[in-house]
Amino acid sequence: EPEVTQTPSHQVTQMGQEVILRCVPISNHLYFYWYRQILGQKVEFLVSFYNNEISEKSEIFDDQFSVERPDGSNFTLKIRSTKLEDSAMYFCASSKIRTGGTEAFFGQGTRLTVV
Amino acid sequence: KNEVEQSPQNLTAQEGEFITINCSYSVGISALHWLQQHPGGGIVSLFMLSSGKKKHGRLIATINIQEKHSSLHITASHPRDSAVYICAVGDSGGGADGLTFGKGTHLIIQP
């Protein structure tokens, strides 16, 4: 069964460093998403990406964040200068159409720890 | 912005019991998703509903669009059903593409 894969599964980084989280969405999907879950809290929407550009972003997704689909298969989330409060589980998801109307497939997540 | 509320927050039951988890939301949606999150953290999609009822094995999900309410039922519960169950909704249009999540219901099934 096709699946969304994320790497790495766990990343530890020092405050102020740049990190790139990687995702390989399901190949025939058109919409891609990043979500964040701070420990003990609910999952929050960060950004959606369609047709090689950001479709929607939340207030969390500030100038420190960027997304890219560099090669037609990978989908990356970059955090330019990490802060302690960026420590969270980051989930990538993909869907054939907007997730309002279709099943979303999630990756296993990348646990980011900023020290 | 939609507000998604789940109840109960925590539920402990004995193996074999019938489980019900509830979800309510504040504004109209395009679809509602039930998701399962295991202790390792990964999220698995269980159902996507826009009306009526769906069944998959021992899991049943229902939605009442007029009342803005959905329920997830587990029949003949088993310890392997222990997980966090999350309700998430998609905007009805013109809003964010992403889902809005509830806080989740932490379910423990004891043998």
Side-chain angles (χ1 to χ4, degrees):
Chain A
E1 187 173 319
E3 59 181 19
V4 176
T5 56
Q6 288 186 243
T7 55
S9 56
H10 190 185
Q11 173 132 17
V12 180
T13 189
Q14 289 206 323
M15 192 169 52
Q17 294 296 304
E18 175 184 284
V19 295
I20 298 176
L21 310 183
R22 302 179 193 281
C23 169
V24 179
I26 294 172
S27 61
N28 64 345
H29 284 185
L30 300 177
Y31 282 83
F32 314 113
Y33 305 83
W34 283 102
Y35 293 90
R36 178 182 82 175
Q37 186 178 33
I38 295 171
L39 186 63
Q41 298 186 23
K42 64 181 178 181
V43 179
E44 301 171 290
F45 167 70
L46 290 177
V47 65
S48 60
F49 193 87
Y50 170 71
N51 200 25
N52 283 320
E53 61 183 20
I54 290 174
S55 176
E56 190 86 21
K57 60 183 180 179
S58 73
E59 53 274 11
I60 301 169
F61 193 88
D62 62 21
D63 292 343
Q64 291 298 311
F65 292 91
S66 62
V67 290
E68 196 176 36
R69 191 156 157 80
D71 57 11
S73 61
N74 290 286
F75 178 51
T76 62
L77 174 70
K78 182 193 291 187
I79 309 174
R80 263 180 266 285
S81 177
T82 49
K83 302 188 279 285
L84 294 176
E85 53 264 38
D86 294 325
S87 295
M89 183 76 102
Y90 288 82
F91 292 101
C92 173
S94 71
S95 60
K96 287 185 181 178
I97 58 176
R98 291 174 65 200
T99 49
T102 189
E103 185 179 4
F105 293 81
F106 288 81
Q108 288 299 301
T110 293
R111 184 169 300 282
L112 176 66
T113 302
V114 182
V115 297
Chain B
K1 183 174 163 68
N2 224 325
E3 299 292 333
V4 180
E5 298 290 336
Q6 285 187 238
S7 63
Q9 288 186 33
N10 297 284
L11 177 58
T12 300
Q14 295 299 121
E15 183 174 356
E17 286 189 40
F18 182 81
I19 303 300
T20 296
I21 299 169
N22 296 298
C23 174
S24 61
Y25 51 92
S26 57
V27 300
I29 61 170
S30 53
L32 183 143
H33 300 248
W34 281 103
L35 308 164
Q36 182 188 56
Q37 186 173 31
H38 278 280
I43 294 174
V44 174
S45 176
L46 298 175
F47 295 103
M48 188 207 72
L49 294 162
S50 53
S51 64
K53 177 179 173 178
K54 285 189 176 179
K55 185 175 190 290
H56 185 249
R58 296 180 294 105
L59 300 178
I60 303 166
T62 63
I63 188 168
N64 184 318
I65 296 294
Q66 287 73 31
E67 296 192 359
K68 297 184 178 64
H69 181 269
S70 175
S71 294
L72 176 69
H73 306 285
I74 305 174
T75 62
S77 59
H78 189 276
R80 65 175 174 265
D81 296 326
S82 299
V84 177
Y85 292 84
I86 302 172
C87 171
V89 299
D91 200 288
S92 61
D97 289 326
L99 300 175
T100 301
F101 289 72
K103 290 183 179 179
T105 294
H106 189 191
L107 175 66
I108 297 173
I109 305 295
Q110 295 178 333

